[in-house]
């Protein structure tokens, strides 16, 4: 379900798996045969360190200060040993139950409730290819849609330099998802929940930087960290061609494809302080795409996203670890194209989103996380109008709620079974809604309340 007024159907994957499999096979063969001295199958094997050195709780994606610097240095740091291949894999099995059955099936091959699925299976080309070049390239098979597609891509080059008398790291990255390059777990691509169900109703609105263009765009950013303190990134994104997106199974040939007009700028600035036993960060970011609707009028939709975020982590001696991540995003919308097409009551408005989460991990094994979220914005009786034949929805995009999660990671330490060849996280998550798509009660006009979407989600998340 797209929650933007334009046709962002990134998850409607095509059935052309063979070309994607061929691409991954070519990349894997190239890595294995030409880069035996530097390439590795996973970051843990590459560095010779336990997963807990780079990740909070012994499992990704929440980064420690050490993990942040590994990513900053282009995933290229290693233990110096040779003979590795940069391949890894991931499998997620899950069970989803909402408080009340959904009005229709939760997915194309699932029922309205109580769904147990292999949620996703991913393959990664992930590791350092040279001393300064590294990759994070993911392809994912969705067990829900039963299709394979290109997922997140982040290929980067980094180089240490001297700048104004201080040490610095400068780099360049090619990627396909605004914020996927980021170092912190407060921005959309990496924020909590780090694993969630794909079989629950979604919000009707959220800022476009919140996954609205993921995998549909390609971008190049230059970045740098100065004096281990000031991080800056600036870049731009443009929509891939329809042919490429179909070949990579990101869209189907009958999906609409709304395209960015020109280059959409992205920027990031943050101050980071690593105190070894603890670390904190505060920053700002922004994204400004103009969107031309597929087959729509000549007018464009203009989005201006501005965010502020902060993070804190207490590591101590790694036995008791605490983290806090938060972000606020404000999006100004000028929907000239959507308004001209008759799909919006107003040509301008806004959407804002706030997220806050805190976690505790014991000995890189047992974890508890709690988060709250809120989406609000301008009313629009057409854009967020009533469901057909109901007439009772109030034209607001508002959503609010909370998430509680407990998880267990048995193999995140250096001395664990399977380390560094395998890792696992088992988790139980509960999401509660106090408001959904504009209202607390009868939000769809058919008697469904926000709390009817409350969800129990159990998962087993493996990496090897």
């Amino acid at each position: 379900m797209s929650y933007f007024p334009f046709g962002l159907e990134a998850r409607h994957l095509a059935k052309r798996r063979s070309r994607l499999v061929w691409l991954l096979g070519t990349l894997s063969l190239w890595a294995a045969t030409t880069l035996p001295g530097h390439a590795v199958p996973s970051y843990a094997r590459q560095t010779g360190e336990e997963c807990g050195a780079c990740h909070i709780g012994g499992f990704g994606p929440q980064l420690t200060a050490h993990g942040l610097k590994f990513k900053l240095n282009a995933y290229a740091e290693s233990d110096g040993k040779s003979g590795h291949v940069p391949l890894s894999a991931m499998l997620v099995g899950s069970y989803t139950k909402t408080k009340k059955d959904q009005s229709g099936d939760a997915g194309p091959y699932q029922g309205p409730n109580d769904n147990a699925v292999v949620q996703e299976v991913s393959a990664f080309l992930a590791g350092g290819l040279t001393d300064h070049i590294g990759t994070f390239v993911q392809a994912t098979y969705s067990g829900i849609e039963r299709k394979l597609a290109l997922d997140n891509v982040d290929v980067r080059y980094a180089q240490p330099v001297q700048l104004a008398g201080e040490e610095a790291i400068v780099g360049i990255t090619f990627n396909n998802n605004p914020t996927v390059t980021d170092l912190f777990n407060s921005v959309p691509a990496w924020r909590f929940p780090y694993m969630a169900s794909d079989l629950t109703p979604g919000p009707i609105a959220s800022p476009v930087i919140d996954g609205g263009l993921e995998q549909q765009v390609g971008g190049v950013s230059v970045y740098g960290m100065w004096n281990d303190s000031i991080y800056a990134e600036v870049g731009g994104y443009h929509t891939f061609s329809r042919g490429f997106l179909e070949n990579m199974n990101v869209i189907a040939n009958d999906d609409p494809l709304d395209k960015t007009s020109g280059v959409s700028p992205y920027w990031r600035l943050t101050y980071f302080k690593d105190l070894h036993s603890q670390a904190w960060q505060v920053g700002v970011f922004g994204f400004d795409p103009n969107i031309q609707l597929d087959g729509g009028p000549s007018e464009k939709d203009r989005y201006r996203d501005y965010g502020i975020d902060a993070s804190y982590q207490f590591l101590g001696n790694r036995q008791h670890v605490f983290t806090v991540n938060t972000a606020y995003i404000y999006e100004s919308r000028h929907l000239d194209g959507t308004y001209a097409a008759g799909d919006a009551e107003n040509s301008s408005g806004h959407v804002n989103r706030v997220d806050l989460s805190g976690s505790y991990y014991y000995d890189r094994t047992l974890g508890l996380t709690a988060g709250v979220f809120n989406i609000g914005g301008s009313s629009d009786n057409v854009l967020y109008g009533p469901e057909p034949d109901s007439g009772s929805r109030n034209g607001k995009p508002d959503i609010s709620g909370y998430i509680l999660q407990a998880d267990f990671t048995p193999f995140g330490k250096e001395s664990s079974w399977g380390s560094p060849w395998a890792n696992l996280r088992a988790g139980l998550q509960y999401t509660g809604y106090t408001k959904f798509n504009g209202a607390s009660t009868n939000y769809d006009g058919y008697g469904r309340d926000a709390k009817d979407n409350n969800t129990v989600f159990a998962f087993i998340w493996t990496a090897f």
Side-chain angles (χ1 to χ4, degrees):
M1 172 181 176
S2 172
Y3 42 75
F4 303 103
F6 45 88
L8 300 178
E9 305 296 338
R11 297 299 183 188
H12 291 249
L13 311 178
K15 295 182 179 179
R16 302 179 181 180
R17 302 178 190 173
S18 58
R19 296 178 185 177
L20 183 55
V21 172
W22 173 86
L23 173 65
L24 291 173
T26 300
L27 287 171
S28 302
L29 179 62
W30 170 76
T33 56
T34 67
L35 299 167
H38 300 280
V40 291
S42 75
Y43 301 139
R45 292 192 291 276
Q46 174 174 306
T47 61
E49 297 176 318
E50 63 182 18
C51 296
C54 287
H55 293 292
I56 300 295
F59 202 93
Q62 194 172 190
L63 294 175
T64 65
H66 183 66
L68 176 154
K69 292 174 183 176
F70 176 75
K71 183 173 181 177
L72 183 71
N73 283 278
Y75 313 110
E77 295 179 0
S78 75
D79 59 5
K81 297 179 180 179
S82 62
H84 302 295
V85 178
L87 296 177
S88 291
M90 179 180 79
L91 185 148
V92 180
S94 69
Y95 168 79
T96 302
K97 179 179 180 62
T98 52
K99 182 177 181 181
K100 184 178 179 180
D101 289 358
Q102 298 183 49
S103 57
D105 290 339
Y109 302 96
Q110 293 77 39
N113 211 343
D114 298 297
N115 289 297
V117 296
V118 177
Q119 183 160 307
E120 58 184 277
V121 181
S122 291
F124 298 89
L125 179 64
L129 304 183
T130 73
D131 290 340
H132 301 285
I133 300 174
T135 65
F136 178 87
V137 179
Q138 179 182 5
T140 297
Y141 174 81
S142 168
I144 295 172
E145 295 184 318
R146 301 182 185 178
K147 296 175 183 178
L148 176 69
L150 184 66
D151 208 321
N152 287 319
V153 171
D154 181 16
V155 179
R156 55 176 68 201
Y157 168 88
Q159 176 73 47
V161 298
Q162 285 286 321
L163 186 62
E166 300 289 349
E167 293 184 354
I169 295 289
V170 296
I172 185 169
T173 167
F174 170 79
N175 64 91
N176 67 345
N177 183 1
T179 74
V180 78
T181 58
D182 206 76
L183 307 174
F184 305 99
N185 291 97
S186 47
V187 297
W190 301 116
R191 69 164 179 250
F192 178 77
Y194 311 118
M195 180 58 61
S197 176
D198 292 333
L199 293 170
T200 58
I204 199 170
S206 195
V208 69
I209 197 174
D210 185 24
L213 295 175
E214 61 183 2
Q215 285 85 60
Q216 292 196 28
V217 295
V220 175
S221 296
V222 293
Y223 67 88
M225 175 77 87
W226 180 78
N227 194 27
D228 287 331
S229 298
I230 298 176
Y231 176 78
E233 179 180 346
V234 61
Y237 291 85
H238 188 72
T239 306
F240 289 121
S241 70
R242 171 175 283 278
F244 175 82
L245 293 175
E246 290 181 4
N247 289 340
M248 293 297 102
N249 293 347
V250 176
I251 64 171
N253 56 18
D254 57 348
D255 284 337
L257 178 60
D258 300 331
K259 296 183 178 181
T260 56
S261 178
V263 176
S264 301
Y266 169 78
W267 55 271
R268 175 71 154 133
L269 180 65
T270 188
Y271 181 81
F272 170 69
K273 192 66 174 178
D274 179 11
L275 302 173
H276 303 296
S277 64
Q278 57 186 324
W280 60 272
Q281 163 270 333
V282 61
V284 292
F285 55 95
F287 184 48
D288 300 339
N290 296 330
I291 305 293
Q292 178 66 58
L293 303 183
D294 189 5
S298 59
E299 292 86 351
K300 301 177 180 63
D301 288 349
R302 294 173 293 146
Y303 298 83
R304 302 294 180 262
D305 289 13
Y306 305 99
I308 182 170
D309 70 304
S311 302
Y312 171 79
Q313 56 185 235
F314 174 81
L315 301 178
N317 63 4
R318 303 300 177 95
Q319 186 172 27
H320 301 282
V321 174
F322 302 88
T323 70
V324 178
N325 297 292
T326 187
Y328 171 78
I329 303 172
Y330 177 86
E331 177 176 87
S332 172
R333 294 177 161 189
H334 297 276
L335 306 179
D336 297 335
T338 299
Y339 179 78
D343 294 327
E345 180 183 29
N346 305 303
S347 61
S348 63
H350 74 276
V351 170
N352 53 269
R353 175 167 186 145
V354 62
D355 292 270
L356 171 66
S357 66
S359 65
Y360 164 73
Y361 276 91
Y362 172 72
D363 202 21
R364 292 156 289 180
T365 304
L366 297 173
L368 298 172
T369 306
V372 294
F373 55 89
N374 182 278
I375 300 173
S378 305
S379 298
D380 192 301
N381 291 315
V382 176
L383 194 60
Y384 315 123
E387 297 291 333
D389 304 321
S390 71
S392 66
R393 205 163 75 193
N394 56 18
K396 295 181 180 180
D398 301 358
I399 290 182
S400 58
Y402 58 91
I403 305 172
L404 305 174
Q405 178 175 307
D407 53 69
F408 174 58
T409 305
F411 309 132
K413 302 177 187 178
E414 186 175 11
S415 58
S416 298
W417 174 88
S419 177
W421 295 95
N423 206 347
L424 178 147
R425 173 166 287 175
L428 183 64
Q429 184 184 109
Y430 182 82
T431 302
Y433 293 95
T434 57
K435 188 177 289 186
F436 196 89
N437 288 351
S440 297
T441 59
N442 194 29
Y443 70 83
D444 63 351
Y446 296 105
R448 191 172 184 87
D449 299 336
K451 65 182 180 181
D452 292 333
N453 296 321
N454 290 1
T455 302
V456 174
F457 175 62
F459 63 87
I460 296 177
W461 183 1
T462 63
F464 46 91

